[in-house]
Amino acid sequence: MPEYTVIGKSLPRVDGRVKATGEAQFAMDVALPGMLEGRILRSPHAHARILRIDTSEAEKLPGVKAIVTARDTPGIRFAFVDTPGHPADEYPLAVDKVRYVGEEVAAVAAADLDTAEKALELIRVDYEPLPAVFDPEEAMKPGAPAVHDEIVPTTTSAWEDWGAKKKTLPYKVVNNICATTNIAFGDVEKGFRESDYIREDRFVAVATAHTAMEPHVAVASYNPAGSLEVWLSSMGNEMKRFWLAKTLGIPISKVRVHKTYVGGAFGGKINLFAYEFLASFLSRKTGAPVKIALTREEVFMTGRTSHPMIITLKTGAKKDGALVAQRMKIIADPGAYRGTSPIAMFLAHIFCPPIYRIPNMAHEATAVYTNKSICCPKRGHGNPQARFAVESQLDMIAADLGIDALEIRLKNARESGEVLPNGDRLNSCGLKEALTRAGEAAGWKQKRGRNNGRGIGLGVASMFSGSAVYPFGSAAVVKLDLDGTATLFTGQIEFGQGADTAMAMIAAQELGLRLEDINIVSADTELCPIDMGNYLSCGVFVSGEAVRRAAADARRQLLEATAKVMKVNIEELETRQGYVRLKHTPKKSLPISEAIKGSQMFGGSSIIGRGFKEALSNIGFAPGISRGAGRFTDAYTYTVAVAEVEVDRVTGRVRVSRVTTADESGFPINRMNLEGQLDGQAVMGVGDALFEEVVRESGHILNPTFAEYRIPGFKDMPELTSIHVEAPDPGGPYGAKEAGECSRSAVIPAIANAIADAVGARIHSLPMYPERILAALEEKERSTGKTIAKS
């Protein structure tokens, strides 16, 4: 392996100082001259028709600058997914009826927050309550309350008579079904007939919150000349920019998203939100900057959750444990609007074939509207739900066949070089090594099967590296400065995961500079090249490779110019630790600053490197009907998690004592950041497995603050051990792949399997509350007729 001077080290983060000193500017910190405060009136009903909105009294209140309802807006729908089969279905303000508690009805801009709040109290809304439906299985039944009827495509304004103009046909909603995904390969029924053993189980994953420490905030300033500047809590500036331009009816070139630091995202800050549009629209209406900051209750209410899923899983195997066939049926609950449900259901499948060889698979998924708040990606996006089901059932299959749970995984695990059913090739795959090393480090053979209140369990997950599922790549620019430093321009967003540090380290390594020699300009759509944003695990693999190529281009230009000055062949030169030097005579060197000056003197131009990471040409992202063909990534990442638990059989309480993760994410750009990602996901998985759930009653969230919604605290922290399996992938910068999403999906089923190992009873629903564990123990006692020993 090459000797690297920058990457592969545990270097301090480039944003560490500004965050430690409080200099880092978050969206909440933005204060513009004459800025107004915005507030949003929300629906108290889960489902109701809006009969009348009276804003007259609120408009008389001194300090109120503007009040808007749906009829004041352009009436353009928006969404994460907007295709002919899945047209956008959200409005920034409710039109005619509300579909969930907390939906936006009106918005106010006022001189201060108190005035804005008072104005909301003075707005009178007459509602006609309608029957609501909260269970997706009930919502699918004929005669259930219709959450939506017909949806107008976004090409038409809501205020146009689309029925008469016949521009496009509306999307008809039947039985509240808003999306379906059907994927198959092989012959599943034949596979079941050839299996020696078949079992079928039902699993339930609930809605959980993202719980980012920073609430959602938007500051917007509309210029009379027609341009809009916004400061957002975001992880996808180009997507926000696109939809702001579309919904406001202005050119995208007129929308600038400024860089702000982001206090956590975990998938929950990708989509355009209504409050972001409303801040922008109110700014245009008033001619003044407007800030809208959601309260923590509003974030829980409307900031979106993970996708609840009901998963029915049927799997066939041979007596020796070889998996033969599998059918997964999913009923997803996206809430009152489609959100990202087509993608979540699609991803729940595509993360399965890369792990185990199952020659015959069928995936049938249905998303069903309910009168609940909207769902969006959460760290894994469909993968955690699917892995909970698959890994839990695999343990049950192993037990029934008398095979060790680790051995059955090793038997079926994929290896490097294999071609997946969709055509993706595993250019790197360290799954078997990860399984072996994780098992050894956790003491699997010594601890598995005690069944005395202590248990150990396995979970495995895969994740793709790089968002090739979208038909565009990422770009970066590197400019060399006269003092021997470099300025990197990248559209990547720093939201706590270390993106700025990783991009700067890649640039420094490629240029032969120190990390402190890189000045980074990121996440500003006016200054930086287009970048899809850091989601779908595209950060290092896609954008990082664009940065490497831009730095390589700059280095090439520098060496070409220096070769002329030194009168040598360019092949004889290299850059290292701030110098251009002869490879075989290192003492003959020139400081990079002098080389840059020489380049300008003899070359006559600045050195500006450009890099672009292209998308795949044969994209198979089709969250509808597919035979499993079509590629969607260049590389896959794997994580194996082993969890150890202690279960109190009297109270049902669980303590996760240790989590060992073996992560195969290619070459680590920053080892400390990688460990932070793995540890953070492990702790998040503890919450998912044991106690996190957004609890509702008649559509109202009962735990909308951190006082009621429990997340892992200090006392819940297990001992964490991270093992890095290096399987560099040729498609990523220096072989790096994804590291931010995979581990969580493995930890959740590992805990579930550890609990089953500890008590001998299986929990099929998340989270695994003490009551559910006790109920499973009682059911086991009834079925076996034996009294379970208490300890």
Side-chain angles (χ1 to χ4, degrees):
M1 180 172 290
E3 181 184 348
Y4 296 121
T5 57
V6 181
I7 63 169
K9 315 294 183 184
S10 293
L11 299 182
R13 291 173 56 136
V14 298
D15 58 347
R17 185 188 63 82
V18 294
K19 287 183 175 178
T21 60
E23 297 173 64
Q25 186 181 62
F26 295 80
M28 182 66 84
D29 299 322
V30 176
L32 304 177
M35 188 170 71
L36 305 176
E37 297 286 349
R39 294 294 290 142
I40 299 171
L41 182 68
R42 301 184 180 280
S43 167
H45 300 285
H47 201 195
R49 187 166 286 109
I50 300 173
L51 302 178
R52 185 177 69 99
I53 303 177
D54 183 358
T55 62
S56 58
E57 291 301 313
E59 290 168 356
K60 298 174 186 177
L61 187 66
V64 171
K65 304 301 180 182
I67 299 177
V68 295
T69 65
R71 291 286 168 180
D72 300 305
T73 69
I76 302 295
R77 294 179 187 260
F78 63 95
F80 187 88
V81 176
D82 183 21
T83 65
H86 304 107
D89 57 359
E90 299 175 52
Y91 285 123
L93 291 170
V95 177
D96 298 331
K97 74 174 185 176
V98 292
R99 295 175 172 86
Y100 68 94
V101 174
E103 185 166 7
E104 298 82 1
V105 176
V108 174
D112 54 67
L113 271 176
D114 289 342
T115 302
E117 291 283 3
K118 180 63 177 176
L120 294 186
E121 296 173 6
L122 295 175
I123 297 174
R124 297 288 176 260
V125 184
D126 294 335
Y127 294 99
E128 177 191 342
L130 299 171
V133 60
F134 306 108
D135 185 317
E137 292 180 302
E138 292 297 320
M140 294 173 67
K141 295 178 180 178
V147 180
H148 292 268
D149 296 313
E150 292 179 332
I151 297 173
V152 189
T154 55
T155 51
T156 310
S157 168
W159 316 131
E160 296 179 16
D161 184 4
W162 54 268
K165 294 185 178 181
K166 304 291 185 185
K167 287 187 176 181
T168 54
L169 292 175
Y171 175 87
K172 182 69 176 177
V173 179
V174 179
N175 294 336
N176 288 311
I177 294 173
C178 65
T180 58
T181 297
N182 295 280
I183 303 170
F185 56 82
D187 188 329
V188 174
E189 292 305 323
K190 180 182 178 182
F192 284 135
R193 289 193 300 270
E194 294 176 350
S195 298
D196 300 321
Y197 168 94
I198 298 172
R199 75 169 296 136
E200 185 170 358
D201 299 280
R202 174 184 165 106
F203 301 90
V204 178
V206 299
T208 60
H210 298 77
T211 64
M213 290 296 101
E214 178 201 26
H216 293 51
V217 183
V219 176
S221 181
Y222 191 86
N223 187 296
S227 61
L228 172 69
E229 297 184 64
V230 293
W231 294 258
L232 307 172
S233 179
S234 166
M235 58 186 297
N237 285 351
E238 288 298 337
M239 179 170 287
K240 306 272 191 184
R241 186 179 180 222
F242 170 83
W243 280 110
L244 283 172
K246 187 176 181 69
T247 53
L248 290 166
I250 60 177
I252 193 170
S253 60
K254 297 292 186 180
V255 180
R256 178 182 182 180
V257 183
H258 286 265
K259 176 190 175 68
T260 59
Y261 286 95
V262 181
F266 313 116
K269 296 178 179 178
I270 296 175
N271 314 54
L272 179 72
F273 287 90
Y275 74 87
E276 294 167 328
F277 166 86
L278 292 169
S280 304
F281 188 74
L282 285 167
S283 178
R284 183 165 73 176
K285 188 175 180 67
T286 61
V290 174
K291 174 189 282 186
I292 296 181
L294 303 192
T295 65
R296 183 59 64 181
E297 290 84 352
E298 286 180 302
V299 173
F300 271 95
M301 189 185 304
T302 65
R304 316 205 170 182
T305 69
S306 65
H307 288 81
M309 290 185 181
I310 300 168
I311 300 176
T312 302
L313 188 66
K314 182 179 180 181
T315 304
K318 294 291 188 179
K319 292 178 182 179
D320 64 356
L323 301 176
V324 180
Q326 188 171 86
R327 171 177 282 115
M328 179 182 290
K329 294 184 178 181
I330 294 176
I331 298 176
D333 179 358
Y337 296 93
R338 187 181 295 109
T340 61
S341 58
I343 301 172
M345 296 189 301
F346 182 71
L347 297 183
H349 163 72
I350 69 170
F351 293 133
C352 292
I355 301 177
Y356 304 122
R357 290 183 214 91
I358 308 177
N360 308 287
M361 294 189 78
H363 178 82
E364 304 163 18
T366 304
V368 189
Y369 286 128
T370 61
N371 292 113
K372 292 187 286 191
S373 57
I374 315 167
C375 299
C376 75
K378 182 182 176 183
R379 211 168 196 174
H381 202 193
N383 197 12
Q385 298 92 319
R387 296 325 301 167
F388 169 61
V390 173
E391 295 294 324
S392 294
Q393 190 187 68
L394 188 55
D395 258 36
M396 291 186 272
I397 292 172
D400 289 348
L401 294 176
I403 302 172
D404 178 77
L406 176 57
E407 291 303 319
I408 198 171
R409 288 170 169 84
L410 285 167
K411 181 177 183 63
N412 292 282
R414 289 197 182 271
E415 299 180 79
S416 182
E418 292 190 36
V419 177
L420 303 182
N422 71 312
D424 282 345
R425 180 183 178 85
L426 296 180
N427 294 316
S428 59
C429 177
L431 177 55
K432 284 192 172 182
E433 181 182 350
L435 281 163
T436 301
R437 291 179 62 183
E440 291 174 351
W444 179 266
K445 291 182 179 180
Q446 296 78 23
K447 298 177 181 179
R448 177 70 172 183
R450 287 185 177 183
N451 203 25
N452 61 352
R454 294 177 180 269
I456 185 169
L458 259 171
V460 181
S462 73
M463 187 73 192
F464 57 65
S465 289
S467 182
V469 296
Y470 282 94
F472 52 86
S474 295
V477 173
V478 170
K479 178 173 71 72
L480 299 188
D481 298 309
L482 291 174
D483 59 359
T485 64
T487 301
L488 165 64
F489 298 87
T490 171
Q492 269 295 299
I493 301 173
E494 173 60 64
F495 50 82
Q497 83 286 28
D500 280 358
T501 302
M503 300 301 137
M505 289 179 70
I506 292 168
Q509 181 65 54
E510 191 68 26
L511 290 167
L513 296 174
R514 302 169 302 170
L515 178 59
E516 53 266 37
D517 294 328
I518 305 297
N519 305 303
I520 185 165
V521 178
S522 62
D524 188 315
T525 60
E526 188 88 348
L527 304 177
C528 302
I530 292 176
D531 189 285
M532 61 180 51
N534 203 331
Y535 57 92
L536 288 167
S537 291
C538 66
V540 166
F541 190 80
V542 178
S543 301
E545 178 61 13
V547 168
R548 191 198 64 77
R549 293 179 185 182
D553 185 34
R555 179 171 52 82
R556 175 190 57 78
Q557 296 174 49
L558 176 66
L559 294 181
E560 285 178 349
T562 306
K564 294 178 181 178
V565 174
M566 298 180 70
K567 298 181 179 180
V568 297
N569 293 324
I570 188 174
E571 294 79 11
E572 299 178 61
L573 297 176
E574 66 178 359
T575 56
R576 192 173 181 85
Q577 295 180 321
Y579 287 86
V580 178
R581 66 186 193 182
L582 288 171
K583 292 179 181 178
H584 302 298
T585 315
K587 291 184 179 180
K588 291 186 178 181
S589 62
L590 186 68
I592 284 181
S593 58
E594 295 301 317
I596 295 171
K597 293 173 186 176
S599 170
Q600 290 207 321
M601 183 180 299
F602 292 95
S605 63
S606 299
I607 295 178
I608 300 176
R610 297 169 176 82
F612 181 72
K613 169 69 172 177
E614 64 282 352
L616 291 176
S617 58
N618 178 24
I619 297 171
F621 180 67
I625 297 176
S626 170
R627 297 303 298 179
R631 301 189 59 207
F632 25 75
T633 185
D634 271 332
Y636 286 89
T637 297
Y638 298 89
T639 298
V640 174
V642 182
E644 294 181 48
V645 302
E646 300 172 13
V647 183
D648 187 322
R649 296 184 179 217
V650 176
T651 65
R653 293 188 178 276
V654 178
R655 177 178 174 270
V656 180
S657 57
R658 185 181 180 190
V659 174
T660 302
T661 54
D663 177 79
E664 185 272 282
S665 56
F667 183 80
I669 299 299
N670 186 310
R671 293 184 183 275
M672 183 167 58
N673 273 4
L674 173 60
E675 290 177 8
Q677 288 291 307
L678 298 179
D679 290 350
Q681 291 179 74
V683 175
M684 183 177 278
V686 170
D688 290 313
L690 299 183
F691 40 73
E692 287 197 45
E693 179 181 9
V694 175
V695 181
R696 293 183 177 90
E697 184 176 297
S698 300
H700 293 265
I701 296 178
L702 303 182
N703 54 342
T705 71
F706 287 142
E708 298 97 3
Y709 184 93
R710 186 182 171 192
I711 58 176
F714 180 78
K715 292 184 178 180
D716 301 304
M717 288 286 290
E719 177 187 341
L720 300 172
T721 301
S722 298
I723 300 168
H724 187 67
V725 177
E726 291 193 16
D729 192 275
Y734 304 102
K737 298 193 288 185
E738 178 275 335
E741 298 189 75
C742 194
S743 182
R744 171 179 175 246
S745 300
V747 170
I748 298 169
I751 294 173
N753 289 336
I755 292 173
D757 182 49
V759 300
R762 174 65 55 177
I763 315 300
H764 291 78
S765 298
L766 294 174
M768 289 168 281
Y769 291 127
E771 307 91 278
R772 287 177 174 162
I773 292 173
L774 292 176
L777 285 169
E778 291 173 3
E779 176 61 28
K780 179 184 178 183
E781 184 176 337
R782 283 194 299 269
S783 63
T784 60
K786 297 179 181 179
T787 301
I788 298 173
K790 307 291 185 180
S791 59

